[in-house]
Amino acid sequence: MAATLLLLTIAIPWAGALIIWLIGDEYTKLLHGVAVAFSVAAGIAALLLIPYATGAPIISVDAGPVFGVFTFAPDGLGVFLSAVATVIGSLAVIFSVDYMKGEGQIARYYAFVLFFIGSMTGLVLTTNLLLIFVFWELTALCSYALIAFHNDDPKAVAGGMKALIITQFGGVGLLLGALLIRSYLGSYELNDLLANVDKIPASVLSVAAFGFLAAAAAKSAQFPFQTWLPDAMEAPTPISALIHAATMVNAGVYLLARFYPAFKDVPGWTLTVVIVGMLSALL
């Protein structure tokens, strides 16, 4: 049951995005209804998953020697954030029914919103570092597309490009850290990292730790990557509320919380986290 609910939490909004994309802009009322129905269904699936929270992987798919085993584990932190993403996502979609009335290209809007909700839930429910990176970049793609939704407005397009480029510095740090961990442990699994962190040389672990910190800072618009967030407000208001206030920008906090047990003893890492947070709050 838990595995089914986990898959539904990710798959329902993605299925909704595909259906909306296929429907197109001709049937506006139908688009609103489909978007609301799929977003609410995803929220219900995420809420039903809460009682099944466990740190052990409940889905494992062997993707071969290169990609490792793709695993999903609905631990407490992941289940909580998936519920936040889907429930707030459904509220944003419901608000959009009236807010986006009369807008053109509404199918593109709803498709990317639902695709984002599914990507965000995948990000917090997987324990595979490579999949975390994939979902991480999918949320960045949706953010870019929705910031630049009004593609006839140069400010919106510039804001989308700025967000995409700056957050990619973090993406590089996340991928570098994942590859370094894989090279020494032979696995992308978070649980393997936590159990064998002492097998990674201190210098390599430091590079991975600060790479993950750069990823968190860029995604959450923390110093020195904070400049993309004000320009992201060119997105429609429901997007600013959903992605750039409630969910995606919290992914950086999630990343640090998730990997804190592995990186807490890296010299200077926790102090740097505090400094970045203090400077960001001050600025």
Side-chain angles (χ1 to χ4, degrees):
M1 183 64 177
T4 301
L5 288 171
L6 190 151
L7 288 175
L8 287 175
T9 304
I10 301 172
I12 287 175
W14 278 6
L18 178 60
I19 291 171
I20 285 173
W21 195 273
L22 293 174
I23 292 174
D25 292 310
E26 185 176 353
Y27 304 99
T28 304
K29 289 185 178 180
L30 178 61
L31 290 176
H32 290 304
V34 170
V36 170
F38 276 88
S39 63
V40 170
I44 292 172
L47 292 174
L48 292 176
L49 184 61
I50 292 176
Y52 297 97
T54 174
I58 61 173
I59 298 176
S60 297
V61 179
D62 191 347
V66 176
F67 299 109
V69 180
F70 292 165
T71 54
F72 293 86
D75 71 332
L77 179 61
V79 167
F80 170 72
L81 287 176
S82 66
V84 169
T86 53
V87 171
I88 294 181
S90 64
L91 294 175
V93 170
I94 292 170
F95 183 79
S96 297
V97 172
D98 184 65
Y99 185 87
M100 299 299 289
K101 186 179 295 183
E103 289 275 3
Q105 304 183 61
I106 197 69
R108 177 164 61 90
Y109 172 82
Y110 279 133
F112 274 112
V113 171
L114 289 173
F115 191 58
F116 168 80
I117 293 172
S119 300
M120 187 68 198
T121 56
L123 169 63
V124 298
L125 291 175
T126 184
T127 54
N128 179 284
L129 297 182
L130 189 60
L131 274 186
I132 289 176
F133 170 74
V134 171
F135 285 120
W136 189 270
E137 293 304 310
L138 289 177
T139 60
L141 170 64
C142 296
S143 173
Y144 155 74
L146 290 166
I147 294 171
F149 174 72
H150 295 112
N151 49 26
D152 55 348
D153 182 354
K155 290 175 63 179
V157 174
M161 289 297 296
K162 185 176 182 180
L164 184 65
I165 292 170
I166 291 179
T167 55
Q168 288 318 294
F169 286 102
V172 170
L174 178 59
L175 181 60
L176 174 62
L179 292 176
L180 286 174
I181 291 168
R182 160 78 177 189
S183 66
Y184 280 89
L185 298 183
S187 171
Y188 287 113
E189 279 304 300
L190 170 62
N191 292 330
D192 290 344
L193 170 63
L194 298 179
N196 301 288
V197 67
D198 55 324
K199 296 181 180 179
I200 302 177
S203 59
V204 175
L205 189 64
S206 294
V207 173
F210 282 97
F212 276 52
L213 177 55
K219 184 70 81 175
S220 295
Q222 302 292 296
F223 178 84
F225 304 108
Q226 78 279 5
T227 58
W228 68 265
L229 189 57
D231 294 327
M233 297 304 123
E234 294 292 335
T237 297
I239 302 307
S240 297
L242 170 63
I243 298 181
H244 304 120
T247 53
M248 189 191 79
V249 292
N250 290 335
V253 180
Y254 161 80
L255 193 72
L256 296 186
R258 175 71 82 192
F259 289 91
Y260 175 80
F263 298 147
K264 60 184 175 65
D265 295 324
V266 171
W269 188 79
T270 53
L271 176 61
T272 305
V273 171
V274 172
I275 292 173
V276 167
M278 290 177 61
L279 287 174
S280 301
L282 177 63
L283 290 171

